[in-house]
Amino acid sequence: MLRISLFLLVAFHTAQSLLICSFNVRSFGEAKRTRPEIMDIIVKIISRCDIMLLMEIKDSGHRLCPFLLEKLNGYSREPYRYVVSNRLGRKSYKEQYAFFYRLKMVSVKQTYQYPDLQPGDEDALSREPFVIWFSSPKTVAKEFVIIPLHTTPEMSVREIDELYDVYLDVKQHWNFIFMGDFNAGCGYVAKKHWKNIRLRNHTQFVWLIGDNCDTTVKASTRCPYDRIVLHGDKLINAVVANSATIFDFQSAFSMTEEQVLCVDVPIDQKRWLTEPGFPEWPLLLLLYAWDSMVFLHHRQKKETTRSGCQ
């Protein structure tokens, strides 16, 4: 399955910006670690971001993240660190979540592995969220929590609904970003199933990627698998509706389909963040799916785009 990655950019007084990203690197393990051409692309993608969530890491030898950090810090002018979850999953199949973050911009206040032990509903999630509480002193929202999720496609309805229980468990932190590969569309989450997903039906949660979006690469598939959901007034008030566009990096970089299957398609959401006493600070959301790789900064050049969706 081909997936998306998610980018959220928060700018402040200067030309600097805070870019929060999510990237399902599809079976990210030893085979990709040993291919320099793939690692070079992944490093370039991460280096555009201040926070990058990586999903579908398959690294039983615990070699991938240290190797990636070394490559990233060798490429970037500013150093990164990372935090990584334990190996998560049922039986022998395991994945990890990892967050790479730029030290100049943010720090990690606390990590929390959601236990998924709710009485009567134990083990509802295939890969329990690895929750990160970030401090971001230069942005309007000084602290926020990122809750990642990579669902099992056939269990997407149950697992997306379970995010509401994750929210109840960690709700003392009011600015949330739920993001990741939710498999939230087409055959995995049919229209009739949305009424059973609490995160969708409570008005305090805002879904930024609409059901008509396509976050896949194949021409024969049009599915909004990957999503970003916001909670908390400071984040929700930053969002301008109906502003999604998709950047086709296959065209922008003249890549073959075989090459783009190793990387991702950006969807960008241009947002404006306002608060009394502050100037208008642009907040930009980019979603990278499996067929493009164009990155936007606060000061943009003209980019190759596809039509937007909500």
Side-chain angles (χ1 to χ4, degrees), residues 1 24 129 160:
M1 300 276 176
N24 183 339
I160 298 170

Side-chain angles (χ1 to χ4, degrees), residues 115-296:
D116 199 12
L117 296 175
Q118 185 162 299
D121 196 22
E122 297 87 350
D123 197 27
L125 296 160
S126 304
R127 293 166 283 270
E128 299 88 347
F130 181 52
V131 181
I132 311 296
W133 181 9
F134 283 101
S135 172
S136 178
K138 298 179 181 179
T139 56
V140 171
K142 305 298 183 186
E143 297 178 356
F144 53 86
V145 171
I146 299 182
I147 302 174
L149 181 66
H150 179 207
T151 70
T152 295
E154 295 77 13
M155 298 300 296
S156 293
V157 173
R158 182 185 182 190
E159 293 195 26
I160 298 170
D161 177 64
E162 195 71 15
L163 281 176
Y164 189 78
D165 293 323
V166 179
Y167 156 72
L168 293 177
D169 188 58
V170 296
K171 67 178 182 178
Q172 65 269 28
H173 309 299
W174 291 111
N175 293 298
F176 291 96
I177 303 170
F178 300 88
M179 61 197 299
D181 178 1
F182 291 4
N183 290 294
C186 294
Y188 300 133
V189 182
K191 289 183 179 180
K192 64 182 180 181
H193 292 143
W194 284 113
K195 67 180 183 293
N196 301 319
I197 295 174
R198 288 168 290 171
L199 208 71
R200 183 64 173 259
N201 295 309
H202 287 259
T203 57
Q204 68 264 43
F205 301 101
V206 173
W207 291 62
L208 297 186
I209 306 305
D211 295 340
N212 295 322
C213 293
D214 180 17
T215 69
T216 65
V217 61
K218 289 186 177 180
S220 60
T221 304
R222 183 176 178 83
C223 298
Y225 290 136
D226 302 81
R227 303 297 183 108
I228 293 178
V229 183
L230 301 183
H231 177 276
D233 290 342
K234 286 185 179 179
L235 291 176
I236 291 172
N237 291 336
V239 176
V240 175
N242 303 317
S243 59
T245 56
I246 299 176
F247 289 82
D248 183 350
F249 78 75
Q250 181 176 1
S251 298
F253 293 126
S254 301
M255 299 174 72
T256 66
E257 182 172 329
E258 182 179 1
Q259 289 172 321
V260 301
L261 292 180
C262 299
V263 210
D264 262 340
V265 173
I267 299 171
D268 111 335
Q269 314 260 345
K270 297 178 184 178
R271 307 285 183 252
W272 293 95
L273 186 63
T274 61
E275 180 172 289
F278 289 91
E280 288 190 337
W281 295 347
L283 180 128
L284 175 67
L285 174 70
L286 304 177
L287 302 181
Y288 279 65
W290 281 103
D291 65 356
S292 43
M293 190 181 63
V294 176
F295 307 95
L296 297 185

